[in-house]
């Protein structure tokens, strides 16, 4: 697999379209940090690290839906930087998703954070994905 982050985001996107409650994917520290940010920003209910039968680490993500309308909290997940074309942004060029209604997840020298946190910390980095 050449892009595990895109695979993780695609698994979440497909689970949302199929109205699944939980999605499971192979785990890594980067995916755990992305799940942490999605949880902090209110796009998912919870995430949990675990292992499958072969002993490989996995991450389980509980998706969030509106109780009455059954609409997902995640409308769109879009991968920005990819292995074939990396996208970097300085603090002044940091993208705003849906004019501030969505988030951009950025990998910086101070860790993985949202675009708002990166502006506050005054750091730029690689723009991993947009979520809204």
């Amino acid at each position: 697999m050449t892009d595990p982050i895109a695979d993780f985001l695609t698994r979440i996107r497909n689970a949302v379209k199929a109205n699944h409650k939980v999605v499971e994917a192979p785990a890594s520290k980067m995916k755990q940090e992305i799940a942490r940010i999605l949880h902090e920003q209110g796009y998912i209910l919870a995430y949990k690290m675990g292992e499958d039968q072969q002993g490989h680490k996995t991450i389980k993500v509980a998706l969030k839906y509106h109780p009455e309308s059954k609409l997902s909290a995640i409308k769109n997940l879009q991968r920005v930087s990819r292995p074939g074309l990396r996208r970097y942004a300085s603090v002044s060029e940091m993208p705003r998703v849906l004019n501030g209604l969505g988030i951009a997840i950025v990998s910086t020298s101070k860790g993985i954070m949202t675009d708002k946190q990166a502006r506050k910390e005054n750091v730029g980095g690689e723009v991993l994905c947009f979520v809204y």
Side-chain angles (χ1 to χ4, degrees):
M1 183 182 325
T2 57
D3 193 1
I5 297 167
D7 176 65
F8 180 62
L9 296 176
T10 301
R11 285 176 191 240
I12 293 174
R13 194 180 315 116
N14 290 342
V16 165
K17 285 184 180 180
N19 290 325
H20 289 278
K21 300 271 189 245
V22 178
V23 61
E24 190 171 344
S28 71
K29 288 182 182 179
M30 177 89 71
K31 293 176 192 175
Q32 183 178 3
E33 288 298 306
I34 291 172
R36 179 188 57 81
I37 290 173
L38 291 175
H39 178 64
E40 286 175 358
Q41 298 297 318
Y43 288 103
I44 61 174
L45 283 176
Y47 67 97
K48 184 172 134 183
M49 302 298 285
E51 287 189 5
D52 60 5
Q53 287 81 18
Q54 290 82 25
H56 300 246
K57 292 190 183 283
T58 61
I59 183 167
K60 288 186 179 183
V61 177
L63 301 174
K64 185 176 184 178
Y65 295 96
H66 190 273
E68 293 171 8
S69 65
K70 306 291 187 228
L71 292 174
S72 173
I74 298 173
K75 302 286 181 260
N76 196 359
L77 275 171
Q78 182 181 358
R79 179 80 158 120
V80 179
S81 183
R82 46 196 176 87
L85 182 61
R86 300 287 185 187
R87 300 287 176 132
Y88 297 95
S90 64
V91 180
S92 59
E93 300 165 346
M94 196 63 64
R96 290 186 54 175
V97 182
L98 283 182
N99 218 2
L101 293 176
I103 62 168
I105 299 178
V106 184
S107 176
T108 68
S109 59
K110 295 185 178 181
I112 297 174
M113 57 183 73
T114 65
D115 55 333
K116 295 174 184 94
Q117 290 170 324
R119 278 191 207 93
K120 196 181 292 182
E121 299 268 339
N122 199 29
V123 293
E126 182 180 358
V127 182
L128 298 176
C129 62
F130 293 153
V131 183
Y132 54 91

